[in-house]
C-alpha cells in the first residue's frame, strides 16, 4: 500500500531533529507535548517504520527517523516553492516570505528593505519576525523563517552544508554612556576603567548579555548589572537618564537618544550575515528579499 505523508507531521519530525526534545517542539508549534507525541506516533503508523526510540525519559530519532526528518525539510521547502510558483504563474514573484532579524537589524536593515519591496512588489507578502541570533538559526532550519539576518560571531550555533551564508556588513560593539559622563570624550575606551560603573544588560543568556559579560570579565571585572531589558530602546533611555552605561552594537544606537559612544580599545566587531536554507528549491520571492537586504545603502561594510 502506498504511503501518503502528511506535511504537518513531517514538519513536527523535522522540528524534533533540530530542537532535540518533544517539549521544545511543542512550544515552537504551540501544541501540548502529548499532542506532538500522538502525531509522531501516527506518522510512525503511516510509514510503518519506527522513527523514534525512548532513552530514559526522552525520545530520539532512529536512523530511519533521522533520514526522514532530514528529507522532510527538503520536501516541505519544495511544496512551498510549488505553491508560490502556482500563485505567481506568469506574473511577478509573489507569495509569503518570512524574514527574521535580530533587534538592532529590524529598524536599520529589515524594515527599509520591506518598505522598498512593498512599493516595488506589492504582490509579495513579507512576514517580519524579531529573532535573536541564538534562535534564528533553529527557526531557519525548521522552516519557521525563510531568510534570516543574523551573526555567526560569538554564538554557538553549528553551521553545516544545509545553510547558505551571505555576508552583509561589519558592525562594531561600542561603549554607550550618558552625554555628560566623563567617558563621553574621544578615543578608544578601556573597559577596565569602568569596573565600578553600573551597567544595563540585555536579558540573561541572550546574545548581547553573553557577549557583554564575556568582555567585562576579559577586562578583569564582574559587571554590576542594575537593569536588564530585552529592548535596546529601553536600554538607551536608561543610559540617557544617567542610570547606567552599556555595551551595544553600533546599529542599535538610535540617533534619537542623547547618548555618547566610544569605540573599544580592543576592537570587537560582529559580522552581519543573511542566511537561507541551501536545500530549499530556488524561490524568486526569497531571492528578491535577499537582494533588497544586500542593497541597503547604509550598511556598515
Amino acid at each position: 500500500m502506498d504511503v501518503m505523508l502528511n506535511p504537518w507531521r513531517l514538519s513536527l519530525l523535522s522540528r524534533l531533529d533540530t530542537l532535540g526534545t518533544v517539549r521544545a517542539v511543542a512550544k515552537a508549534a504551540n501544541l501540548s507535548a502529548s499532542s506532538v507525541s500522538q502525531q509522531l506516533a501516527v506518522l510512525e503508523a503511516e510509514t510503518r517504520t519506527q522513527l523514534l526510540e525512548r532513552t530514559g525519559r526522552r525520545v530520539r530519532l532512529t536512523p530511519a527517523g533521522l533520514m526522514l526528518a532530514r528529507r522532510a525539510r527538503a520536501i516541505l521547502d519544495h511544496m512551498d516553492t510549488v505553491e508560490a510558483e502556482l500563485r505567481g504563474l506568469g506574473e511577478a514573484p509573489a507569495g509569503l516570505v518570512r524574514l527574521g532579524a535580530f533587534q538592532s537589524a529590524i529598524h536599520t536593515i529589515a524594515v527599509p528593505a520591506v518598505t522598498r519591496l512593498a512599493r516595488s512588489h506589492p504582490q509579495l507578502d513579507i512576514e517580519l519576525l524579531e529573532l535573536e541570533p541564538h534562535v534564528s538559526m533553529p527557526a531557519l532550519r525548521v522552516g519557521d523563517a525563510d531568510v534570516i539576518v543574523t551573526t555567526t560571531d560569538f554564538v554557538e550555533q553549528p553551521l553545516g552544508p544545509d545553510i547558505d551564508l551571505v555576508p552583509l556588513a561589519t558592525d562594531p560593539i561600542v561603549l554607550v554612556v550618558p552625554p555628560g559622563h566623563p567617558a563621553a570624550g574621544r578615543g578608544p575606551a578601556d573597559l577596565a576603567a569602568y569596573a565600578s560603573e553600573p551597567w544595563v544588560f540585555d536579558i540573561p543568556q541572550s546574545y548581547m548579555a553573553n557577549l557583554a559579560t564575556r568582555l567585562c570579565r576579559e577586562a578583569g571585572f564582574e559587571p554590576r548589572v542594575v537593569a536588564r531589558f530585552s529592548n535596546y530602546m529601553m536600554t538607551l533611555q536608561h543610559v540617557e537618564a544617567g542610570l547606567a552605561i552599556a555595551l551595544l552594537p553600533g546599529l542599535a544606537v538610535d540617533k534619537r537618544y542623547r547618548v555618547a559612544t566610544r569605540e573599544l580599545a580592543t576592537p570587537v566587531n560582529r559580522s552581519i550575515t543573511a542566511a537561507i536554507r541551501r536545500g530549499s528549491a530556488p524561490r524568486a520571492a526569497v531571492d528578491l528579499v535577499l537582494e533588497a537586504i544586500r542593497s541597503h545603502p547604509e550598511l556598515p561594510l
Side-chain angles (χ1 to χ4, degrees):
M1 183 180 295
D2 293 336
V3 176
M4 183 69 71
L5 296 174
N6 181 284
W8 182 53
R9 287 191 271 274
L10 286 177
S11 175
L12 293 178
L13 188 71
S14 176
R15 286 172 185 257
L16 181 60
D17 178 34
T18 300
L19 301 178
T21 67
V22 169
R23 186 177 298 275
V25 173
K27 183 177 180 181
N30 198 26
L31 296 169
S32 67
S34 60
S35 295
V36 172
S37 296
Q38 290 170 3
Q39 292 303 316
L40 293 176
V42 172
L43 184 60
E44 285 189 310
E46 290 174 338
T47 59
R48 299 180 181 178
T49 305
Q50 183 181 357
L51 303 175
L52 308 172
E53 58 185 3
R54 185 167 296 277
T55 57
R57 300 181 63 181
R58 301 179 62 177
V59 297
R60 67 180 182 186
L61 295 171
T62 64
L66 189 61
M67 181 276 292
L68 183 57
R70 302 287 167 83
R71 296 287 182 88
R73 185 67 265 153
I75 292 170
L76 296 170
D77 282 337
H78 189 68
M79 291 177 66
D80 288 343
T81 301
V82 171
E83 289 179 5
E85 289 175 350
L86 286 173
R87 286 196 299 269
L89 195 62
E91 302 176 359
L96 174 66
V97 177
R98 292 155 294 188
L99 169 59
F102 53 82
Q103 187 182 153
S104 58
I106 289 284
H107 69 280
T108 55
I109 299 176
V111 169
V114 172
T115 301
R116 292 196 301 274
L117 287 171
R119 292 194 296 263
S120 61
H121 294 82
Q123 72 282 5
L124 191 64
D125 295 323
I126 303 178
E127 182 180 347
L128 189 54
L129 310 167
E130 182 184 334
L131 298 173
E132 291 303 306
H134 65 286
V135 297
S136 61
M137 196 64 74
L140 178 67
R141 281 195 161 104
V142 302
D144 287 342
D146 301 300
V147 185
I148 60 172
V149 179
T150 187
T151 177
T152 55
D153 299 330
F154 323 118
V155 181
E156 295 181 358
Q157 286 294 337
L159 298 175
D162 59 326
I163 300 296
D164 268 332
L165 300 178
V166 180
L168 296 178
T170 299
D171 190 26
I173 305 300
V174 296
L175 179 69
V176 186
V177 299
H181 193 280
R186 296 181 177 179
D190 182 355
L191 284 184
Y194 307 100
S196 61
E197 293 279 353
W199 290 83
V200 52
F201 272 23
D202 206 328
I203 58 175
Q205 300 307 312
S206 65
Y207 160 75
M208 270 311 302
N210 290 342
L211 175 58
T213 299
R214 179 172 69 81
L215 293 179
C216 289
R217 288 173 177 170
E218 288 178 355
F221 68 94
E222 190 69 26
R224 179 166 62 91
V225 180
V226 298
R228 288 185 180 271
F229 302 117
S230 62
N231 186 296
Y232 288 151
M233 303 301 105
M234 295 179 67
T235 297
L236 290 168
Q237 288 176 0
H238 209 66
V239 173
E240 183 181 48
L243 299 174
I245 65 175
L247 285 168
L248 289 179
L251 279 180
V253 183
D254 193 310
K255 296 179 180 179
R256 293 174 295 178
Y257 295 90
R258 294 180 61 251
V259 297
T261 62
R262 296 270 305 279
E263 295 181 355
L264 301 183
T266 302
V268 178
N269 297 295
R270 63 174 182 173
S271 299
I272 301 175
T273 305
I276 60 174
R277 291 186 303 279
R278 181 174 297 176
S280 60
R283 289 179 56 189
V286 170
D287 291 341
L288 269 177
V289 173
L290 262 180
E291 184 55 35
I293 294 170
R294 295 178 67 182
S295 62
H296 193 288
E298 298 181 1
L299 284 179
L301 300 177

